[in-house]
Amino acid sequence: MGLIESIKNKARCSKKIIVLPEGTEERTLKAAVIADKEGLADVVLLGNEDEIKSKVKDVDTSEITIINPERSEKYDDYVEQLVTIRKHKGLTLEESKNLVKDPLYYGTMMVKMGDAHGLVAGAINTTGDVLRPALQIIKTAPGIPVVSSCFIMEVLYKEYGHDGILLFADCAVNPNPDSKQLAAIAVTTAKTGEDLVGLDPKVAMLSFSTKGSARHELVDKVVEATKYAKEMAPDTDIDGELQADAALVESVAKLKSPDSKVAGKANILIFPDLQSGNIGYKLVQRLGNAVAIGPICQGLAKPVNDLSRGCSVDDIVNVIAITAVQAQNL
Ligand code: ACO
C-alpha cells in the first residue's frame, strides 16, 4: 500500500472535523466533496452558501456543512474570545469583529475553540496569511518553542531513508532558526515521522561539514543544535553535523563518521536554514523525480496546514487526510 493510502486509512479510523476557509475556491470545493465521499473527514466549508453552490453546479455539496462566518451563531462568541486571546497585543473589539469575518481567522477560531479539529487553506492565500492566525491564536504545542514544516519525500531509490521515504525540514516556515529552534525542528520532525509514516527516526543535522571537517560559525550553529536536540530527545537517534552524503550513503558514512548511529541511515534530514531546506526539497523533487508531500505544518497545538497555490484537487484531499491524522495524534 502507498504512503498516502495508508495515511487515508488512518484518517478513516476516527473521523475528524476539518475546516476549509477557502470555501468558494473551486479546487477546494471539489476536494471537500471527495474527502467527504472517501470518509476521510467531516469537512466544513466557509463562505457564502449561494456563492459556493453557484461555483460548482456539477458537484453535489448537499452532504457538506457550509458556514458563512458573518452570519454564524458563533460569530459573537468568537469575536469576544479573540479579544481575550489577543488582549496583550491591544486588539480592540472593532478589530476583532473585522478579523473574525475573515474566513482564515474564523476557521482558526473554530479549531481553537474545539469546533473543528484542524484547518487546511492556501489554495488562494499565501503561506503567511494562512499561518499568521494559527501562530497568533493556536500557538505552539506544549514544550515546542517553534512552529515549523516538513516535507515527506518519496524518492526513486529505495536504499535511501526508510525504503525511499525521508522527511526534510524546515523547508517552508523559519527563514533562519537559531540553534535552539533548529533543535526543536529536529525533534518535532522526528515525531511527525513516527506519527504519519511510522518511521524509526534517524535524524541527521545537515551542514557542509562532517564532524569537524570544516570550521565556520554556520557549522557551529548546527553542532550546538545537535547538542540541544539530543538533550530534548535523549531516546531518539540524532547526529550531526553531517554532510548530506555522509547522512545518506553507507560507504561515505563508514569513511567520514564510522561510529554514528545515523550516518548512512538517515531518514530525517534537518537543513540549517530555509534557503537550503527550500532549495533542497525542490531540487530532489524536480531533478530526482521524487514525490514531495507537504509542506506539513508541525509544532502547533492543533493542526493547520498550508497548501501550495499551484495545488491540485488531489493535493488538497491528501492534505485533509494528513491534517486529520495529525489531529488524531494530539
Ligand atoms: N513559531 C511560532 N510562533 C511564531 C513563528 C514560528 N515559527 N513565527 C512567528 N511566530 C509568532 C510570533 O511570535 C507572533 O506572535 P504574537 O503576535 O503572539 O507575538 C506571531 O507569530 C506573528 O509573528 P510575525 O513575526 O509578525 O510573523 P509573520 O506573520 O511576519 O510571519 C511567517 C510568520 C509567515 C511564518 C514568516 O516566518 C514567513 O513568512 N516565513 C517564510 C514563509 C515562506 O515564504 N516560505 C517559503 C514558501 S513555502 C514553499 O515553498 C512550500
Side-chain angles (χ1 to χ4, degrees):
M1 188 193 306
L3 179 61
I4 278 295
E5 235 4 87
S6 93
I7 290 173
K8 284 183 172 179
N9 279 343
K10 277 188 204 163
R12 286 183 192 106
C13 287
S14 160
K15 261 174 62 177
K16 297 290 172 189
I17 303 170
I18 304 298
V19 58
L20 307 178
E22 295 161 334
T24 51
E25 196 277 324
E26 215 169 309
R27 289 163 298 169
T28 302
L29 262 160
K30 288 180 177 164
V33 173
I34 293 170
D36 177 71
K37 284 224 169 80
E38 291 190 8
L40 304 177
D42 290 324
V43 177
V44 177
L45 287 170
L46 299 185
N48 178 298
E49 190 162 0
D50 294 338
E51 194 183 341
I52 289 175
K53 293 203 161 149
S54 72
K55 280 268 164 79
V56 279
K57 296 202 178 71
D58 53 332
V59 177
D60 177 13
T61 53
S62 58
E63 298 295 315
I64 310 279
T65 305
I66 298 174
I67 297 176
N68 184 342
E70 287 181 57
R71 295 188 174 200
S72 104
E73 56 187 27
K74 299 270 174 144
Y75 174 79
D76 289 335
D77 183 33
Y78 288 177
V79 168
E80 272 179 42
Q81 297 289 346
L82 184 57
V83 171
T84 308
I85 293 167
R86 300 294 292 168
K87 203 164 46 194
H88 66 292
K89 291 280 166 179
L91 188 81
T92 65
L93 186 64
E94 279 315 303
E95 286 167 339
S96 180
K97 282 181 181 170
N98 281 330
L99 282 180
V100 177
K101 285 178 192 161
D102 175 345
L104 291 170
Y105 273 85
Y106 185 93
T108 307
M109 284 304 294
M110 283 184 75
V111 177
K112 173 72 180 176
M113 302 310 294
D115 295 324
H117 299 105
L119 178 150
V120 174
I124 47 172
N125 284 286
T126 64
T127 300
D129 288 344
V130 174
L131 291 189
R132 205 167 295 111
L135 296 171
Q136 292 172 344
I137 295 168
I138 295 176
K139 300 273 180 194
T140 53
I144 303 294
V146 73
V147 172
S148 60
S149 72
C150 69
F151 278 84
I152 303 174
M153 305 294 296
E154 276 189 278
V155 301
L156 295 177
Y157 309 101
K158 303 289 175 206
E159 65 268 34
Y160 295 127
H162 173 83
D163 227 7
I165 294 175
L166 300 102
L167 270 68
F168 287 14
D170 177 359
C171 307
V173 177
N174 294 280
N176 193 13
D178 64 24
S179 56
K180 287 202 169 135
Q181 291 172 328
L182 195 56
I185 291 168
V187 173
T188 315
T189 310
K191 167 104 173 61
T192 302
E194 285 173 330
D195 289 349
L196 286 180
V197 189
L199 284 184
D200 173 17
K202 305 268 177 216
V203 184
M205 307 294 286
L206 295 185
S207 172
F208 59 84
S209 166
T210 299
K211 300 292 173 98
S213 66
R215 281 168 191 267
H216 193 278
E217 65 194 52
L218 293 175
V219 178
D220 295 342
K221 174 173 106 168
V222 179
V223 173
E224 212 171 270
T226 307
K227 185 178 88 110
Y228 289 136
K230 286 179 174 175
E231 284 166 15
M232 281 178 82
D235 298 329
T236 305
D237 287 334
I238 300 172
D239 204 8
E241 84 291 10
L242 294 169
Q243 286 162 286
D245 57 352
L248 293 168
V249 185
E250 200 83 61
S251 58
V252 179
K254 277 191 184 130
L255 291 172
K256 293 189 174 183
S257 188
D259 301 327
S260 172
K261 281 190 180 171
V262 171
K265 304 177 201 63
N267 50 29
I268 295 190
L269 303 186
I270 303 301
F271 293 84
D273 62 21
L274 191 51
Q275 305 261 28
S276 52
N278 191 272
I279 294 166
Y281 102 79
K282 285 180 194 282
L283 286 178
V284 174
Q285 180 187 31
R286 299 292 169 176
L287 299 179
N289 207 11
V291 176
I293 302 167
I296 298 165
C297 197
Q298 52 185 12
L300 280 165
K302 294 180 176 183
V304 166
N305 276 306
D306 173 41
L307 300 160
S308 155
R309 276 173 288 169
C311 65
S312 66
V313 172
D314 284 347
D315 292 335
I316 304 176
V317 173
N318 294 345
V319 177
I320 291 171
I322 288 168
T323 310
V325 173
Q326 285 180 306
Q328 288 173 359
N329 283 316
L330 286 179

